[in-house]
């Protein structure tokens, strides 16, 4: 009795040790989903998993247990004996097998039930699936069948087949032990009742095989890669598909043959012939016949045979990736840029991006982190109306880096230092006289010099916030430094979970593996815990059926609050005939949701940006109340939405091939394009830029995402694509095609011309010899009217220093390259006078050098530059930087000489 009691106690302790961590995780998840208002996501997911677990588990247990008991002949079974050696005594296994039946069936039921739970989303989508309104070209079914229903059918048939096969493998040894199956050389005999039981299971498997062939295998041809495309090829349609149909029919006939043989007590003979015939027909029809057709009939005339399938493949790919709505514009490539066109496109010129993310992050790290525990981890492109002007700006959130705290204790990391503080905002095109970025918003607390204000600068939820913190504790919460003192402030937001009760503290202590949560005297009844503060993790946990863009961005709301915007995607790998992108199996993608997370209270809102997407419509039916219309976005946010990065990368990469819509042109890849790449410190990246510009034929500047295309294997420009982000034009794609018969320089050709320019090369070499490092910024392609202007900033970083300074701007137009201290100076040289005519690198007859402009323009430009140099010299003198002072004086002297020459009367 004592042993049984002790055993019960130990068993109870083990059960609690195993279950309590799981229970705590479930409760913590439930509290978190309730906090953000997404409780239905938690309950619908949990309820579906529980239903699958019990439904599949009970069905599996019942099926396996029933078959095991039948194999043992019911309540009064015949003895089941086994003789290990010919001379040994026979062992009666009847009782052992009877006792094992229940635990074996139960274990299999538990395992299959658990294995079925990940299919919760497939089941819900199959139930609530929304039609696409488009049919596939082979079977005429709606695309929704393949996206929503087919995956569920595949899982169900696969699970049933596995259960029946496993059951067959379990009962066959039992019949062999009973002596109902006799296997000897040239002899296989099966007792009739055993044969009937086994025959029913074999026939059921054959029926499932027939269903799999007819539904799953046939539909799977729409994702085949047999031919020169993704989708059913000529061979698939004319050899593999008929073979699949025949295999399905043969499987039905084989099932009937097995049942007939089992009923007549001749399962062995009928079963072997039926199953063998099915396997031979299936192998020959699905493997040998398609191979022969592909090799001897299709391959010699592939284009002729595959042309109809290529049409289907191109159309499906373009629709699945949103490329069928791309607007096409043709440019003549002959437009001449002048001073007048530059002035007419002032909004574009004023927003030319001279600061790159990497140099700007380094500079901000030295100038604006203020304390070691603050960090800038990203720079976000955006646009704002600032003091009446539409300006492109760069925002860098100042986040808390717990790893850089001077003393890393539980109190410091989780109670005192809880949040980041504000951000910096800088225009993309302005620099100080020292070559540093101009800051519209800076310092702690954030101080604005423009018409934007931040009312609530604390960042509790961000890209670096990966730890839980407690607020409203007995410890003071650090807000920001102020000179030699620190400012403390209590949290007043709605975010977080109350943690006052001992039970909650115990559960969180178990969940995070920290006894300090349970024992801390600083955590009071008014305290709250904030967890899952990383915004990407927060979005993925809240909406686990969506995928998220790599680049979330921060927006200043009209009320001065900070909001994170995450682009969320609905994806599928089941769109018939559509091409896959990269190394993934995804062949359908839509940016259907904009997720907004408040940086202060962590509130999560999901707003539908593509209501025509059937997948998000389906999830809206599954989870009513979660998704809101886009017009319910917080005030001011819609003006800052931008076209998502990951989707645009996929679309532009695919468009390099799928802009060709004619089968013959597509097959031969006659007009294959490529995206130029830019060398970075961490590898080469596609040439993609967000800029504010006025598109050809448009009246106002707008925020766009631009990608140039060059012909495959060539460097000249073939076309460029823009994704629009403003107003009613949000989400529209437009391609500007350049004429094939004329040369338009591409980014790589311009890079080569810059590198070959003797004056630029001499100056760069001179800087490198003076203990500084030259950092080349991104080369920018600036479309103006129907012409292209190229701009590249150059930064200097002193040896051992950490602050890159913008010192020169290279401007290139056609075959002319100039390097000046400012963009305005470079443009003046190219289009309106300046220090002389632009230096042609390789003049051609159809590309004349730029005009030198008028003397009055040159005098004005040089005078302004001389004043700037003089002021820079005074600044260097005050700072005690005599090296820079000498350089500025030297340049001032050169400018005065040029000014005198320009002012002299011309003969």
């Amino acid at each position: 009795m004592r042993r049984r009691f002790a055993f019960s106690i130990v068993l109870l302790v083990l059960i609690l040790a195993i279950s309590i961590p799981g229970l705590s995780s479930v409760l913590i998840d439930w509290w978190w989903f309730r906090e953000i208002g997404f409780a239905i996501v938690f309950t619908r997911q949990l309820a579906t998993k529980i239903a699958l677990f019990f439904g599949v588990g009970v069905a599996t247990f019942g099926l396996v247990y029933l078959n095991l008991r039948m194999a043992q002949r019911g309540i009064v079974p015949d003895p089941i004996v086994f003789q290990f050696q010919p001379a040994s005594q026979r062992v009666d296994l009847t009782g052992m097998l009877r006792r094992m039946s229940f635990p074996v069936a139960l274990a299999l039921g538990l395992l299959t039930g658990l294995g079925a739970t990940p299919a919760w989303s497939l089941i819900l989508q199959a139930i609530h699936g929304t039609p696409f309104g488009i049919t596939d070209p082979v079977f005429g079914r709606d695309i929704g069948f393949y996206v929503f229903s087919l995956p569920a059918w595949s899982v169900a048939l696969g699970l049933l087949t596995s259960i029946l096969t496993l059951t067959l493998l379990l009962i066959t040894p039992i019949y062999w032990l009973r002596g109902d199956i006799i296997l000897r050389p040239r002899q296989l005999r099966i007792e009739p009742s055993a044969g009937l039981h086994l025959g029913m299971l074999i026939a059921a498997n054959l029926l499932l095989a027939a269903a799999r062939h007819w539904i799953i295998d046939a539909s799977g041809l729409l994702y085949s890669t047999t031919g020169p495309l993704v989708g059913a090829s000529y061979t698939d349609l004319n050899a593999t598909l008929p073979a699949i149909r025949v295999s399905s029919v043969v499987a039905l006939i084989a099932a009937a043959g097995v049942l007939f043989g089992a009923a007549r007590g001749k399962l062995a003979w009928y079963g072997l012939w039926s199953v063998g015939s099915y396997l031979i027909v299936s192998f020959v029809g699905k493997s040998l016949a398609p191979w022969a057709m592909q090799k001897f009939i299709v391959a010699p005339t592939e284009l002729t045979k595959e042309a109809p399938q290529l049409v289907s493949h191109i159309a499906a790919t373009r629709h699945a990736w949103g490329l069928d709505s791309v607007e096409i514009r043709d440019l003549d490539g002959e437009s001449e840029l002048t001073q007048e066109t530059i002035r007419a496109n002032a909004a574009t010129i004023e927003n030319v991006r001279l600061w790159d993310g990497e140099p700007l992050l380094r500079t901000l790290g030295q100038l604006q982190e203020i304390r070691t525990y603050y960090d800038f981890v990203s720079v976000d492109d955006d646009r704002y109306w600032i003091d009446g002007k539409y300006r492109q700006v760069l925002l860098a959130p100042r986040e808390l880096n717990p790893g850089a705290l001077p003393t890393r204790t539980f109190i410091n990391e989780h109670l005192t230092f809880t949040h980041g503080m504000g951000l910096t905002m800088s225009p993309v095109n302005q620099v100080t006289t020292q070559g540093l970025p101009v800051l519209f918003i800076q310092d702690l607390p954030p101080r604005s010099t423009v018409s934007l204000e931040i009312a609530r600068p604390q960042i509790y939820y961000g890209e670096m916030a990966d730890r839980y913190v407690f607020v409203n504790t007995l410890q003071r919460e650090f807000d920001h430094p102020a000179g030699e003192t620190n400012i403390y402030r209590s949290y007043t937001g709605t975010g977080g979970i109350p943690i006052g009760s001992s039970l909650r503290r115990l559960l969180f202590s178990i969940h995070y593996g920290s006894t300090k949560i349970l024992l801390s005297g600083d955590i009071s009844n008014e305290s709250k815990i904030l967890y899952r503060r990383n915004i990407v993790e927060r979005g993925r946990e809240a909406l686990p059926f969506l995928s998220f863009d790599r680049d979330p961005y921060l927006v200043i709301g009209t009320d001065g609050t900070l909001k994170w915007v995450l682009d969320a995607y609905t994806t599928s790998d089941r769109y018939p005939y559509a091409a896959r992108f990269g190394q993934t199996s995804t062949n359908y993608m839509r940016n259907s949701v904009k997720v907004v997370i408040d940086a202060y209270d962590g509130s999560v809102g999901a707003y539908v940006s593509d209501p025509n997407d059937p997948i998000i419509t389906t999830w809206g039916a599954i989870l009513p109340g979660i998704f809101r219309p886009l017009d319910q976005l917080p005030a001011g946010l819609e003006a800052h939405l931008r076209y998502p990065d990951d989707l645009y990368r996929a679309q532009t990469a695919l468009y390099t091939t799928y802009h060709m819509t004619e089968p013959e042109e597509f097959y031969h890849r006659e007009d294959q394009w490529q995206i130029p790449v830019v060398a970075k410190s961490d590898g080469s990246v596609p040439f993609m830029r967000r800029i504010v510009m006025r598109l050809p034929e448009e009246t106002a500047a707008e925020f766009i995402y631009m990608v140039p295309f060059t012909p495959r294997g060539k460097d000249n420009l073939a076309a460029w694509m823009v994704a629009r982000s403003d107003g009613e034009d949000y989400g529209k794609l437009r391609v500007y095609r350049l004429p094939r018969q004329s040369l338009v320089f591409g980014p790589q050709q311009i890079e080569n011309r810059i590198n070959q320019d003797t004056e630029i090369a001499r100056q760069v070499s001179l800087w490198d010899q003076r203990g500084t490092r030259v950092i080349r910024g991104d080369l920018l392609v600036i479309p103006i009217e129907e012409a292209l202007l190229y701009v590249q900033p150059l930064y200097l970083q002193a040896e051992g220093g950490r602050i890159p300074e913008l010192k020169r701007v290279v401007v290139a137009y056609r075959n002319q390259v100039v390097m000046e201290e400012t963009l305005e100076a470079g443009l003046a040289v190219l289009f309106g006078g300046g220090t002389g005519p632009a230096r042609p690198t390789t003049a051609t007859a159809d590309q004349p050098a730029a005009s030198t402009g008028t003397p009055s323009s040159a005098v004005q430009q040089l005078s302004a530059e001389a004043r700037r140099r003089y002021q820079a010299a005074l600044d260097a003198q005050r700072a005690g930087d005599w090296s820079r002072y000498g350089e500025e004086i030297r340049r001032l002297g050169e400018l005065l000489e040029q000014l005198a020459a320009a002012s002299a009367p011309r003969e």
Side-chain angles (χ1 to χ4, degrees):
M1 190 70 179
R2 290 182 178 178
R3 288 183 179 178
R4 188 173 298 178
F5 178 74
F7 176 76
S8 301
I9 294 297
V10 171
L11 183 62
L12 179 62
V13 170
L14 287 175
I15 292 174
L16 290 174
I18 294 172
S19 61
I20 286 179
L23 179 62
S24 67
S25 294
V26 171
L27 284 174
I28 286 169
D29 285 345
W30 166 242
W31 293 331
W32 184 80
F33 275 100
R34 277 202 315 175
E35 175 207 345
I36 64 173
F38 280 45
I40 190 174
V41 177
F42 177 85
T43 55
R44 190 60 50 88
Q45 180 178 350
L46 183 61
T48 308
K49 285 184 175 181
I50 291 173
L52 283 173
F53 173 75
F54 281 104
V56 174
V58 169
T60 301
F61 166 78
L63 182 63
V64 173
Y65 185 73
L66 177 63
N67 279 274
L68 287 174
R69 296 298 290 141
M70 286 176 62
Q72 297 171 46
R73 290 294 187 274
I75 299 175
V76 186
D78 295 335
I80 301 174
V81 296
F82 183 73
Q83 191 173 16
F84 291 95
Q85 294 180 0
S88 63
Q89 186 177 2
R90 300 175 74 183
V91 179
D92 188 350
L93 303 177
T94 306
M96 183 188 70
L97 290 176
R98 186 188 305 169
R99 288 191 298 270
M100 288 180 60
S101 297
F102 184 87
V104 167
L106 181 62
L108 291 176
L110 290 173
L111 290 174
T112 53
L114 287 173
T117 55
W120 69 273
S121 61
L122 297 181
I123 300 302
L124 289 176
Q125 289 183 85
I127 295 172
H128 299 275
T130 303
F132 274 63
I134 302 173
T135 57
D136 76 271
V138 177
F139 305 108
R141 301 188 189 110
D142 187 89
I143 302 300
F145 169 81
Y146 301 96
V147 175
F148 302 123
S149 302
L150 188 63
W153 276 106
S154 180
V155 169
L157 291 174
L159 187 61
L160 277 172
T161 301
S162 299
I163 294 171
L164 288 175
T165 303
L166 188 60
T167 303
L168 186 63
L169 292 175
L170 285 173
I171 68 170
T172 300
I174 295 176
Y175 281 121
W176 177 69
L177 289 171
R178 288 178 53 85
D180 293 337
I181 297 177
I182 298 174
L183 181 61
R184 295 173 182 169
R186 298 183 181 181
Q187 182 184 7
L188 174 60
R189 186 177 66 82
I190 302 176
E191 190 270 333
S193 62
L196 185 60
H197 187 189
L198 294 171
M200 292 175 64
L201 290 177
I202 294 171
N205 263 319
L206 288 169
L207 291 175
L208 290 174
R212 284 201 314 275
H213 289 318
W214 197 269
I215 300 173
I216 308 301
D217 294 349
S219 300
L221 294 178
L222 301 182
Y223 315 102
S224 169
T225 56
T226 300
L229 64 142
V230 174
S233 65
Y234 182 89
T235 298
D236 294 323
L237 295 175
N238 294 278
T240 308
L241 181 58
I244 288 174
R245 298 299 196 208
V246 170
S247 297
S248 182
V249 173
V250 171
L252 291 174
I253 295 172
V258 168
L259 289 175
F260 179 77
R264 296 192 60 184
K266 297 180 179 180
L267 175 65
W269 192 86
Y270 279 93
L272 286 175
W273 273 102
S274 298
V275 174
S277 300
Y278 159 70
L279 292 176
I280 291 172
V281 170
S282 181
F283 174 75
V284 173
K286 294 167 61 178
S287 300
L288 295 182
W291 173 82
M293 178 175 283
Q294 182 68 28
K295 185 173 180 63
F296 299 109
I297 297 177
V298 176
T301 56
E302 189 173 54
L303 176 58
T304 303
K305 299 292 187 184
E306 301 291 9
Q309 290 72 246
L310 284 172
V311 171
S312 300
H313 170 67
I314 294 169
T317 301
R318 288 170 62 88
H319 181 266
W321 291 98
L323 301 176
D324 54 343
S325 58
V326 175
E327 303 174 18
I328 306 295
R329 298 284 191 275
D330 288 313
L331 303 178
D332 58 23
E334 301 295 329
S335 177
E336 181 79 24
L337 285 185
T338 63
Q339 201 172 25
E340 287 69 28
T341 54
I342 295 294
R343 290 197 190 100
N345 289 271
T348 300
I349 298 300
E350 289 174 359
N351 287 286
V352 171
R353 177 171 172 166
L354 300 180
W355 279 102
D356 292 345
E358 189 175 339
L360 183 61
L361 276 178
R362 292 188 210 168
T363 302
L364 293 177
Q366 295 300 308
L367 301 179
Q368 282 293 304
E369 283 182 357
I370 312 297
R371 296 287 177 89
T372 58
Y373 41 78
Y374 287 128
D375 217 341
F376 293 104
V377 295
S378 65
V379 173
D380 299 322
D381 281 282
D382 207 344
R383 68 284 194 199
Y384 288 81
W385 282 95
I386 298 176
D387 299 329
K389 286 189 175 182
Y390 195 57
R391 303 292 301 271
Q392 184 177 355
V393 295
L394 300 171
L395 289 84
R398 185 186 290 104
E399 296 201 50
L400 181 73
N401 181 4
L405 288 172
T407 305
R408 298 185 61 184
T409 64
F410 176 79
I411 291 177
N412 274 355
E413 292 189 39
H414 300 286
L415 278 71
T416 300
F417 294 91
T418 58
H419 59 272
M421 173 57 69
L423 51 78
T424 64
M425 175 188 283
S426 57
V428 296
N429 65 328
Q430 286 184 247
V431 295
T432 67
T433 55
Q434 293 81 25
L436 301 176
V438 172
L439 297 176
F440 287 164
I441 299 177
Q442 59 183 314
D443 297 339
L444 292 173
R447 177 175 55 86
S448 176
T449 60
V450 292
S451 54
L452 293 172
E453 295 291 341
I454 300 179
R456 200 172 60 188
Q458 292 81 8
I459 301 177
Y460 282 88
Y461 299 84
E463 294 181 88
M464 290 192 73
D466 59 350
R467 301 165 188 244
Y468 62 91
V469 297
F470 297 93
V471 294
N472 300 333
T473 66
L474 300 182
Q475 287 287 333
R476 292 192 301 172
E477 189 181 341
F478 174 81
D479 192 58
H480 66 272
E484 299 299 322
T485 62
N486 292 328
I487 304 299
Y488 296 87
R489 182 175 284 121
S490 296
Y491 181 73
T492 59
T494 58
I497 304 295
I499 196 174
S501 71
S502 298
L503 177 60
R504 288 196 174 190
R505 292 177 65 172
L506 174 62
L507 291 176
F508 278 105
S509 181
I510 293 172
H511 182 75
Y512 288 111
S514 174
T515 57
K516 295 175 182 177
I517 298 177
L518 180 63
L519 302 176
S520 174
D522 294 316
I523 300 175
S524 66
N525 292 333
E526 288 73 34
S527 300
K528 294 198 293 186
I529 181 172
L530 280 57
Y531 57 103
R532 288 180 187 158
R533 298 190 301 129
N534 181 280
I535 55 172
V536 176
E537 178 196 4
R538 199 169 181 84
R540 286 174 178 163
E541 289 289 336
L543 302 165
F545 44 86
L546 301 179
S547 56
F548 286 82
D549 193 85
R550 73 182 70 192
D551 187 21
Y553 53 98
L554 194 65
V555 176
I556 304 174
T558 53
D559 57 355
T561 60
L562 301 179
K563 309 281 188 182
W564 291 98
V565 179
L566 291 77
D567 287 292
Y569 304 107
T570 51
T571 61
S572 176
D573 57 358
R574 306 302 298 173
Y575 198 102
Y577 269 103
R580 303 176 181 94
F581 173 67
Q583 302 299 316
T584 67
S585 59
T586 301
N587 65 359
Y588 174 90
M589 192 175 193
R590 290 290 186 274
N591 174 218
S592 300
V593 180
K594 302 290 185 180
V595 177
V596 178
I597 299 178
D598 191 283
Y600 186 74
D601 59 34
S603 59
V604 180
Y607 303 88
V608 177
S609 54
D610 187 355
N612 297 319
D613 173 33
I615 297 182
I616 203 61
T617 303
T618 297
W619 280 111
I622 295 170
L623 303 169
I626 288 297
F627 300 104
R628 310 176 203 171
L630 196 63
D631 57 14
Q632 293 184 16
L633 273 170
L637 255 64
E638 189 168 3
H640 297 281
L641 298 181
R642 67 188 197 186
Y643 203 86
D645 184 65
D646 287 345
L647 176 61
Y648 195 51
R649 287 173 185 267
Q651 288 176 318
T652 52
L654 288 165
Y655 197 77
T656 58
T657 301
Y658 290 90
H659 69 278
M660 298 177 285
T661 56
E662 294 299 323
E664 184 174 354
E665 183 186 25
F666 180 89
Y667 181 83
H668 294 300
R669 301 295 197 268
E670 291 179 1
D671 192 22
Q672 179 82 41
W673 294 345
Q674 64 186 16
I675 300 174
V677 296
V678 182
K680 293 283 189 179
S681 57
D682 55 351
S684 296
V685 297
F687 194 107
M688 308 176 73
R689 303 287 182 268
R690 296 188 190 272
I691 56 177
V692 169
M693 64 165 291
R694 184 174 70 84
L695 294 173
E697 304 174 3
E698 301 296 333
T699 58
E702 57 185 284
F703 189 62
I704 58 104
Y705 204 178
M706 185 265 193
V707 169
F709 296 117
T710 61
R712 185 175 183 180
K714 303 293 183 181
D715 292 329
N716 58 291
L717 206 64
W720 46 281
M721 176 186 278
V722 296
R724 307 173 72 180
S725 296
D726 286 355
E728 296 181 355
D729 294 318
Y730 175 85
K732 293 181 180 179
L733 299 177
R734 181 180 292 181
V735 168
Y736 292 92
R737 297 187 301 196
L738 297 165
R740 297 190 191 183
Q741 64 274 15
S742 62
L743 172 66
V744 178
F745 290 133
Q748 188 57 53
Q749 290 174 315
I750 295 296
E751 283 273 15
N752 294 337
R753 289 176 178 274
I754 293 173
N755 294 335
Q756 294 167 4
D757 186 276
T758 55
E759 178 60 24
I760 295 175
R762 182 191 66 79
Q763 186 63 59
V764 169
S765 299
L766 183 63
W767 281 326
D768 284 335
Q769 294 172 5
R770 291 182 175 179
T772 57
R773 183 167 73 94
V774 178
I775 302 173
R776 291 179 178 267
D778 289 342
L779 181 67
L780 305 173
V781 183
I782 313 296
I784 299 180
E785 302 294 345
E786 295 195 10
L788 294 174
L789 188 70
Y790 288 89
V791 176
Q792 184 177 48
L794 296 181
Y795 311 91
L796 293 186
Q797 182 173 316
E799 186 176 354
R802 298 183 180 180
I803 303 180
E805 298 179 0
L806 178 61
K807 288 301 184 183
R808 294 291 186 274
V809 178
V810 178
V811 186
Y813 172 62
R814 292 189 174 178
N815 65 320
Q816 304 154 57
V817 178
V818 298
M819 182 177 71
E820 297 297 329
E821 295 190 1
T822 64
L823 174 62
E824 292 76 11
L827 293 174
V829 172
L830 283 174
F831 305 111
T835 58
R839 297 181 297 279
T841 52
T842 308
T844 57
D846 61 334
Q847 291 176 321
S851 171
T852 59
T854 62
S856 60
S857 298
V859 170
Q860 292 175 2
Q861 178 66 35
L862 289 169
S863 297
E865 184 67 13
R867 286 193 297 271
R868 200 173 73 82
R869 286 294 178 184
Y870 175 69
Q871 185 60 47
L874 292 179
D875 292 341
Q877 183 184 37
R878 297 189 193 99
D881 189 347
W882 299 108
S883 175
R884 186 160 61 85
Y885 174 79
E887 173 69 13
E888 297 294 348
I889 290 297
R890 184 187 67 79
R891 289 288 294 156
L892 177 61
E894 293 176 356
L895 287 168
L896 291 174
E897 291 178 3
Q898 295 170 10
L899 184 61
S903 302
R906 298 181 181 261
E907 297 180 359

